Amino acid sequence: APAAPAAPPEPTPPPAPAWSEVQGSRRAANNTRTLRVFLSSTFRDYQEERALLMRQALPPLRALCRERDLDLVFIDLRWGISDEDSQQHATIERCLDTIDTCTYFFGFLGERYGWHQAPAPAAADVTLQATIAKAARRRHPWILAHPHVSVTHLECLYGALLYPSETAAHAAFFLRDEAYAQAVPAEQRRDYAAESPFAADQLRQLKASVQQWQQQYATPGSVQVYARPEEVVGQVQALLTAWIERDFPRPAASATPENRDTVVHQHFAQARRRVYVVREAAHAQLDAALDVLTQQQQQ
């Protein structure tokens, strides 16, 4: 019997988009009065750092920004992925798209690699595969060239490493000393360890890429090592302070008190709009009341 025809080769995934295709979105992010800092890390082992950054680093940095008619937001998607995004397999797409809306990218790496598909004979993660496929169909087909990297690794690639010279002045990495994972209580240690030998090797390669990026492209302070979560708060605050002062010099001291009051009110309104919850019923009642008033005035 004739031999069965060979299966056609798998199509080669496209490379990452050229910087010219990406920079429009990121330039637009830099032209707003709200600075957005994307925080990338694994989840279980970085809850303490994220909480400390929100409580201790963000308030003084926001005060610094208010002096420049700016607002500052930390984008923490580990808390911002909705159930709907997860159910619709939109997690990776949402993360990568959000990076394009941010002014700065900060990657935090410990000993855990994150959500990934290990190679065979590991069981297929159907949810992850569907999430990758959806992101690839939309704006990110390049991720198919990285079939076994974690979501955090994809964020680091897209936020900095794929565009090393272009992102060097706006990206940074903070590497936690591996000794910290051994110092946490024994019942928590599993959450701080690599998921498998394969994951540990992938993480080593990612950290090596970060070190190479630092040597060839990064600005001073863009890759720092820290021993404890409290230490990284000061590192983040110092680096962001320097970058804000570099990129957004303080306005002239001639601003009038009225102008400063206007800026304060604008920032207050911006902060409230970010957490505003639409109430359709209340809006309908207000619209109806306005309609009555309008009719009365026209009579």
Side-chain angles (χ1 to χ4, degrees), residues 39 54 171 205 208 228 241 243 273 275 291:
L39 307 180
M54 292 293 183
Q205 293 182 44
R228 298 188 57 78
T241 297
W243 284 3
R273 285 198 297 269
V275 296
D291 289 342

Side-chain angles (χ1 to χ4, degrees), residues 10-278:
E10 291 288 333
T12 301
W19 177 249
S20 59
E21 301 175 42
V22 174
Q23 68 179 142
S25 299
R26 302 195 188 181
R27 184 183 294 123
N30 290 332
N31 289 336
T32 69
R33 305 307 296 174
T34 298
L35 309 186
R36 292 161 58 90
V37 183
F38 190 94
L39 307 180
S40 172
S41 79
T42 48
F43 180 66
R44 294 181 184 178
D45 57 331
Y46 266 92
Q47 296 185 46
E48 185 173 2
E49 280 92 336
R50 289 171 178 272
L52 286 171
L53 288 172
M54 292 293 183
R55 290 199 307 265
Q56 298 181 14
L58 187 56
L61 288 168
R62 273 188 168 160
L64 177 72
C65 285
R66 283 195 294 269
E67 297 173 358
R68 293 159 168 77
D69 188 17
L70 299 168
D71 194 14
L72 178 69
V73 180
F74 282 173
I75 305 300
D76 184 356
L77 288 186
R78 291 302 176 272
W79 298 109
I81 296 293
S82 67
D83 291 340
E84 182 179 3
D85 284 335
S86 298
Q87 293 165 4
Q88 296 182 358
H89 308 301
T91 301
I92 294 176
E93 179 186 15
R94 172 83 181 279
C95 290
L96 299 180
D97 285 353
T98 302
I99 289 172
D100 279 337
T101 71
C102 291
T103 318
Y104 304 116
F105 175 89
F106 282 1
F108 299 84
L109 300 176
E111 303 308 309
R112 192 170 184 81
Y113 187 51
W115 192 23
H116 67 286
Q117 174 62 65
D125 186 328
V126 177
T127 301
L128 178 57
Q129 290 181 346
T131 305
I132 291 171
K134 183 168 186 177
R137 286 196 306 270
R138 301 292 185 92
R139 294 186 58 236
H140 304 284
W142 61 271
I143 66 176
L144 298 176
H146 306 275
H148 300 298
V149 306
S150 68
V151 176
T152 302
H153 196 153
L154 289 174
E155 291 173 351
C156 294
L157 289 172
Y158 196 59
L161 303 179
L162 288 175
Y163 310 103
S165 60
E166 295 86 355
T167 61
H170 297 89
F173 290 90
F174 300 87
L175 312 182
R176 187 169 57 204
D177 191 312
E178 62 184 31
Y180 180 77
Q182 301 302 318
V184 299
E187 64 272 14
Q188 300 177 16
R189 207 161 291 162
R190 182 178 179 183
D191 290 341
Y192 287 78
E195 298 86 338
S196 67
F198 172 79
D201 185 62
Q202 289 286 91
L203 184 61
R204 279 192 293 270
Q205 293 182 44
L206 173 56
K207 290 181 177 179
S209 297
V210 168
Q211 298 292 353
Q212 184 177 12
W213 174 80
Q214 177 191 26
Q215 294 168 7
Q216 297 183 1
Y217 302 99
T219 56
S222 292
V223 178
Q224 301 184 50
V225 177
Y226 68 97
R228 298 188 57 78
E230 298 83 358
E231 186 179 337
V232 79
V233 173
Q235 293 174 340
V236 167
Q237 186 173 339
L239 186 62
L240 262 182
T241 297
W243 284 3
I244 291 168
E245 291 177 342
R246 175 197 68 189
D247 297 337
F248 303 92
R250 187 190 300 269
S254 58
T256 66
E258 292 79 10
N259 289 343
R260 287 194 289 270
D261 286 343
T262 299
V263 168
V264 170
H265 285 290
Q266 288 174 342
H267 285 302
F268 181 86
Q270 288 174 356
R272 296 312 181 272
R273 285 198 297 269
R274 282 199 300 271
V275 296
Y276 178 67
V277 178
V278 176

